Amino acid sequence: HHLHNDKVFPLKAEHVIRISNPKVTREYAEKRREIKENLGEVGPQEDLFSYAVDMTPFGVQLDKRLNEVVLFHGTDAEHAHEILSSRVGVTNGDEAKGFYGPGCYFAETVSKADFNARPRSDGLRAMIISKVVLGRIYSTTEKSPDTAMLREKAISGGNQSICGDRRDIAGVNSGWREFVAFEETQSMPLFLVWYHRQEDGSRPAKGDSEDTASAYTVEPEQQQEQQLGGQNVVEA
């Protein structure tokens, strides 16, 4: 959580860019179809926040049977522009935030994603909103898992992703869940949000183990569209 003197800072979006990349869309559709053919209908396995929100206004359709969700990824400005032309990449498990080994890391709340977003010189931070097909999910509540053993267990069980559930873990780096997709093609970026923390409008913090989704608000003020690699492609 982002605390200062026991306060949580709300977030406010300044620019929202809709991402359209035909190549990435096609690759995502192929991976989604592959998971569906290999696994059939496996979900929903988790009480995922995506299913509690109406995504229709955003033009997003999710297949709960494949554990397809909308998740968040906080990053810095340089990596945000790289993701615009591709997607969220595989994180090296040796990095501090890679609790669960190599993979593509996503948060289910903006508060957790904001934890990893580093500001640029003007104070704006970048957050990627992606559609992710998790397939069969291997869940763990371990605080410090052996990442090699964890991945072996997950893959041997026919899983395509890991859920790191730290909601009941006390201390730093706790109170949230994040999801790790094994392959980059399991995600497709939908929006890039440039935002800042409203540090002068803070309010009391919630406990580590509470639901942090409502601890922040993101209010888009301006939206534009970013076309990449040609005309828009609408996934069937």
Side-chain angles (χ1 to χ4, degrees):
H1 306 314
H2 309 284
L3 306 179
H4 180 66
N5 295 331
D6 295 326
K7 294 181 179 179
V8 175
F9 301 132
L11 311 180
K12 186 172 183 179
E14 298 295 344
H15 306 285
V16 180
I17 301 173
R18 183 186 297 273
I19 304 170
S20 177
N21 188 320
K23 179 176 182 291
V24 171
T25 300
R26 183 174 61 255
E27 291 173 347
Y28 177 80
E30 291 173 354
K31 173 55 66 175
R32 185 175 178 274
R33 185 164 45 250
E34 176 188 319
I35 290 176
K36 185 175 183 178
E37 291 175 352
N38 291 341
L39 299 182
E41 300 176 2
V42 297
Q45 286 180 253
E46 303 284 346
D47 54 335
L48 300 167
F49 285 176
S50 290
Y51 302 149
V53 179
D54 182 10
M55 296 291 176
T56 306
F58 301 98
V60 177
Q61 294 183 340
L62 301 174
D63 192 339
K64 297 180 181 180
R65 299 168 299 179
L66 303 178
N67 288 313
E68 187 176 35
V69 291
V70 170
L71 298 173
F72 307 93
H73 179 87
T75 186
D76 56 32
E78 179 182 354
H79 288 102
H81 287 291
E82 292 177 1
I83 292 171
L84 275 178
S85 60
S86 181
R87 56 174 66 82
V88 174
V90 171
T91 297
N92 188 325
D94 293 332
E95 294 184 20
K97 63 181 179 180
F99 285 108
Y100 305 103
C104 307
Y105 281 69
F106 298 92
E108 67 176 346
T109 63
V110 295
S111 52
K112 172 60 180 77
D114 179 49
F115 186 86
N116 297 319
R118 294 183 292 278
R120 62 188 191 186
S121 59
D122 60 2
L124 286 179
R125 301 167 188 266
M127 188 176 299
I128 305 294
I129 302 176
S130 298
K131 182 190 285 190
V132 186
V133 56
L134 296 171
R136 184 172 286 117
I137 305 168
Y138 182 89
S139 295
T140 179
T141 56
E142 291 185 79
K143 183 176 183 178
S144 301
D146 181 309
T147 56
M149 185 177 297
L150 176 65
R151 188 177 180 87
E152 182 180 349
K153 287 181 180 178
I155 293 178
S156 64
N159 299 279
Q160 285 74 43
S161 61
I162 291 172
C163 170
D165 189 344
R166 307 181 73 83
R167 291 175 295 182
D168 295 328
I169 296 176
V172 180
N173 292 317
S174 63
W176 40 259
R177 290 188 303 184
E178 66 182 342
F179 295 85
V180 186
F182 294 154
E183 298 185 33
E184 294 183 1
T185 51
Q186 286 177 243
S187 77
M188 178 178 70
L190 302 173
F191 300 96
L192 166 61
V193 180
W194 290 104
Y195 69 96
H196 68 267
R197 294 178 188 165
Q198 294 182 290
E199 300 190 7
D200 55 350
S202 56
R203 57 188 176 188
K206 289 177 174 280
D208 273 351
S209 62
E210 293 185 46
D211 172 14
T212 59
S214 60
Y216 298 93
T217 56
V218 177
E219 302 172 356
E221 290 187 342
Q222 177 180 351
Q223 180 170 311
Q224 65 187 85
E225 184 163 12
Q226 176 90 23
Q227 286 193 18
L228 299 166
Q231 63 183 7
N232 292 342
V233 172
V234 179
E235 180 184 350

